Amino acid sequence: MQHPPKKNSRKRHPWLLPALLTALLAVTAVLLLLLPKWRQQAVSDAMSESPAERQKNLSQAEASELVSIRVQQLDGEDYTLSYADGSLFLKENGESIPVSESVSKEMVEAVTLVTTTDQVAADVEEVREHLTDMELEPPQITVTATFSDGRNETLEIGGSVPETTYRYCRWSGDNGVYMCDVGIGEVFSMTRNRLIEVEQPEISTALVDNVRLEKTDETVNVRFTVDSAGYASAALTEPDAYPMDAEKAQSLQSALSNFRLGTLEGTLTDENRVKYGLETPLAVLTLHQQAGYASHTNEEGQIVSEELAEREFVFTFGDWGSDYFYSCAYEGRVYQVSRLLTETLVQGSWENWYAARPADLGNAELHSIQILRGSGSLEWQKTKIERVLANNELETDTDGNVIYDETVTLNGQEVAAEQMETLADRLASLTVSGKIPEDYSTEGRSPRWQVVLTTEGGTVRTLAAYPLDTFSDALMVDGIIRYYVHIEALDSALGELSDALTE
């Protein structure tokens, strides 16, 4: 008996539909990702392949023909600058204020020699649908130049060209769409205040002898002195007298040297004090600068000396919510100042500035180190003698500095110079451990040891250790006791020479 033929059963694939949907979604995602690139490609396809054709001057005029420049920023300001005697001037409240020389030069060149770096389309109609993407419809910035013959010419600046240093632009005398250098967009993006040249205060770090920092919770005063070898040391004089950390003193001088007033925000008034965070300022910095001579580089690159009169500078810093700038009031006006460059000045305090390593004299060259303990003493002295040539002239290095022969002695006997250098480094590492009790007194006590450091220029730093307890000595620094050190601090510095001194 024959069996009826079997029907071929069709296998079902329940995973097929989800897979198709997943593939469709992936293709859609790719299309969405590529759409902006295709749009940009449409713009790129319209560009000429010849570099010579892409770079050209659209307009050229004599600067002497320029009358004024009007700058209209889409989401910013609208101002007009007049041109006279080779410079641009901003009219404010009936006053003509000169624009910064560098900014003036860039703006004038931008409208009298209109140069493009690339061509997007020879005819705007070719890319009309993309003008909004290029931020040319409407333009981000519109610059109108008026010339003495009565003509007005307009430069329209759009957005940034992706992955380049260009911006889209158009010029009224040409029907095309081009790319121009990003710097043109930056200079015409400036606000009124940024146009104005900021006159910097004449601070000479070498002449500043007193720095006073007033904050809401404390006032710190620093006094700078310079010895005969030019070594500048600093001491805290308020709220108490104590040496300042050598490294922090150098950082403070560097911060003063690099200090610059930034963009002028305007006149300080009772109404805008709160806006700029100056109602309750972060800090008030007062600098006293003694009279004297200061060196600077002139416009010709020559180093010249200028006599400066004694004067005082007062800067008031406020927090107005910027991550990059503090506000700074100076002589009735408010400026932006860089947080990075002024942080040392604004954030200074006793705890940040006091000498936790009081035997560290920074870059000073030591002439002698004297250590006294019990009935013993060790004294290293460095002697420097100029080298004299056969013609009786002093020998100098390639920079013109006199070359010296150096000799180091220990208690009158010559030793290796490295011995004194190593000891100086070890002493410089000696660090205080904490504050002494407020009721501590040296009355009736004698120092267990003393260290006297003398620089080549005559600056003297004296340390003396008085018994405090089983583990610590109270440390007197230049006659002031505030902190203590570990009882083995001197032995750690002396190392193998410790046995040469009695207790």
Side-chain angles (χ1 to χ4, degrees):
M1 179 179 178
Q2 291 184 336
H3 294 282
K6 294 182 179 180
K7 293 182 180 180
N8 293 328
S9 60
R10 182 177 298 172
K11 291 186 177 181
R12 296 181 180 274
H13 300 285
W15 47 267
L16 183 59
L17 183 58
L20 289 173
L21 288 174
T22 301
L24 181 60
L25 288 173
V27 171
T28 303
V30 170
L31 289 173
L32 289 173
L33 287 172
L34 290 178
L35 186 58
K37 294 185 179 180
W38 288 345
R39 181 180 294 172
Q40 179 61 35
Q41 188 62 43
V43 175
S44 300
D45 290 343
M47 293 170 52
S48 167
E49 294 300 323
S50 169
E53 292 179 9
R54 293 200 299 265
Q55 300 176 7
K56 67 178 183 178
N57 296 339
L58 299 183
S59 177
Q60 187 168 358
E62 294 294 330
S64 58
E65 299 174 1
L66 183 64
V67 175
S68 65
I69 298 175
R70 182 181 179 185
V71 179
Q72 296 169 280
Q73 301 162 358
L74 182 62
D75 298 317
E77 299 186 358
D78 183 342
Y79 54 80
T80 299
L81 308 173
S82 59
Y83 184 75
D85 301 324
S87 298
L88 290 173
F89 295 85
L90 174 67
K91 287 191 175 180
E92 290 283 321
N93 301 321
E95 179 183 2
S96 290
I97 305 172
V99 173
S100 165
E101 184 178 345
S102 60
V103 173
S104 180
K105 181 180 179 182
E106 285 189 63
M107 285 187 168
V108 171
E109 287 183 353
V111 297
T112 56
L113 180 59
V114 183
T115 303
T116 62
T117 55
D118 226 331
Q119 177 178 282
V120 177
D123 189 336
V124 66
E125 296 304 326
E126 299 176 36
V127 291
R128 174 69 67 183
E129 61 181 304
H130 300 297
L131 290 181
T132 300
D133 297 328
M134 299 179 197
E135 297 183 75
L136 281 170
E137 199 171 75
Q140 294 298 298
I141 305 169
T142 302
V143 181
T144 305
T146 300
F147 294 89
S148 56
D149 61 3
R151 76 182 189 279
N152 292 321
E153 296 196 12
T154 302
L155 173 65
E156 295 180 347
I157 303 172
S160 299
V161 181
E163 300 181 6
T164 72
T165 57
Y166 305 141
R167 289 183 71 157
Y168 296 107
C169 64
R170 297 196 64 202
W171 179 250
S172 59
D174 189 281
N175 200 40
V177 178
Y178 298 90
M179 298 181 190
C180 60
D181 189 87
V182 69
I184 294 176
E186 290 176 352
V187 74
F188 287 116
S189 295
M190 290 187 173
T191 61
R192 288 179 177 83
N193 291 334
R194 290 186 61 195
L195 300 174
I196 300 171
E197 186 85 58
V198 175
E199 184 177 354
Q200 299 296 333
E202 290 186 291
I203 300 175
S204 171
T205 307
L207 296 177
V208 173
D209 59 359
N210 200 84
V211 176
R212 185 177 181 82
L213 183 66
E214 299 172 77
K215 304 173 75 171
T216 54
D217 55 347
E218 70 172 335
T219 295
V220 184
N221 202 82
V222 178
R223 183 77 177 173
F224 283 98
T225 56
V226 181
D227 64 22
S228 61
Y231 168 64
S233 58
L236 298 165
T237 61
E238 190 178 343
D240 294 302
Y242 203 76
M244 183 177 180
D245 181 272
E247 186 177 337
K248 298 295 178 61
Q250 292 174 18
S251 296
L252 177 57
Q253 287 191 308
S254 178
L256 293 176
S257 178
N258 294 325
F259 179 75
R260 296 290 183 274
L261 295 173
T263 302
L264 172 65
E265 289 293 317
T267 302
L268 177 64
T269 65
D270 292 336
E271 289 73 27
N272 63 22
R273 283 182 182 276
V274 174
K275 171 186 175 182
Y276 292 113
L278 295 169
E279 186 72 19
T280 306
L282 294 173
V284 178
L285 181 72
T286 303
L287 311 178
H288 178 268
Q289 183 168 288
Q290 58 188 328
Y293 288 87
S295 299
H296 69 277
T297 304
N298 62 16
E299 294 179 356
E300 288 73 35
Q302 302 170 323
I303 297 178
V304 296
S305 183
E306 178 185 8
E307 185 176 9
L308 300 178
E310 179 184 11
R311 66 168 302 181
E312 192 170 76
F313 302 93
V314 180
F315 304 100
T316 304
F317 299 98
D319 184 353
W320 60 329
S322 170
D323 292 333
Y324 304 103
F325 301 98
Y326 288 122
S327 59
C328 178
Y330 174 66
E331 295 190 340
R333 292 184 173 183
V334 182
Y335 301 84
Q336 293 181 15
V337 292
S338 166
R339 279 182 176 252
L340 179 65
L341 296 179
T342 56
E343 201 73 6
T344 298
L345 306 176
V346 175
Q347 300 300 332
S349 67
W350 171 277
E351 289 299 323
N352 286 340
W353 285 353
Y354 84 92
R357 297 184 300 173
D360 180 8
L361 299 187
N363 60 5
E365 188 170 358
L366 291 179
H367 169 66
S368 67
I369 302 174
Q370 183 182 31
I371 300 178
L372 307 172
R373 185 167 67 179
S375 60
S377 68
L378 297 173
E379 184 171 1
W380 288 261
Q381 282 197 347
K382 181 191 295 182
T383 303
K384 300 173 63 175
I385 302 175
E386 301 96 336
R387 288 187 188 176
V388 181
L389 299 172
N391 60 2
N392 287 329
E393 291 185 359
L394 296 178
E395 185 177 352
T396 59
D397 60 19
T398 54
D399 295 324
N401 300 312
V402 176
I403 298 176
Y404 294 89
D405 288 320
E406 297 183 354
T407 302
V408 174
T409 62
L410 171 57
N411 290 350
Q413 299 297 316
E414 186 171 344
V415 296
E418 290 78 7
Q419 186 180 118
M420 183 174 176
E421 293 172 1
T422 300
L423 177 60
D425 289 341
R426 289 177 178 176
L427 289 171
S429 299
L430 187 153
T431 305
V432 300
S433 301
K435 291 184 178 180
I436 62 167
E438 293 184 4
D439 59 352
Y440 179 80
S441 172
T442 60
E443 186 176 352
R445 304 172 191 260
S446 299
R448 291 201 318 107
W449 54 259
Q450 297 180 68
V451 174
V452 182
L453 307 173
T454 306
T455 70
E456 289 286 350
T459 296
V460 178
R461 175 70 53 81
T462 303
L463 282 64
Y466 288 81
L468 177 62
D469 55 38
T470 306
F471 304 104
S472 308
D473 288 329
L475 186 66
M476 177 182 286
V477 181
D478 291 341
I480 305 296
I481 294 182
R482 285 185 62 95
Y483 302 95
Y484 65 85
V485 293
H486 192 273
I487 200 168
E488 300 291 339
L490 181 62
D491 288 323
S492 297
L494 285 173
E496 64 278 4
L497 293 171
S498 180
D499 293 339
L501 292 175
T502 60
E503 286 290 346

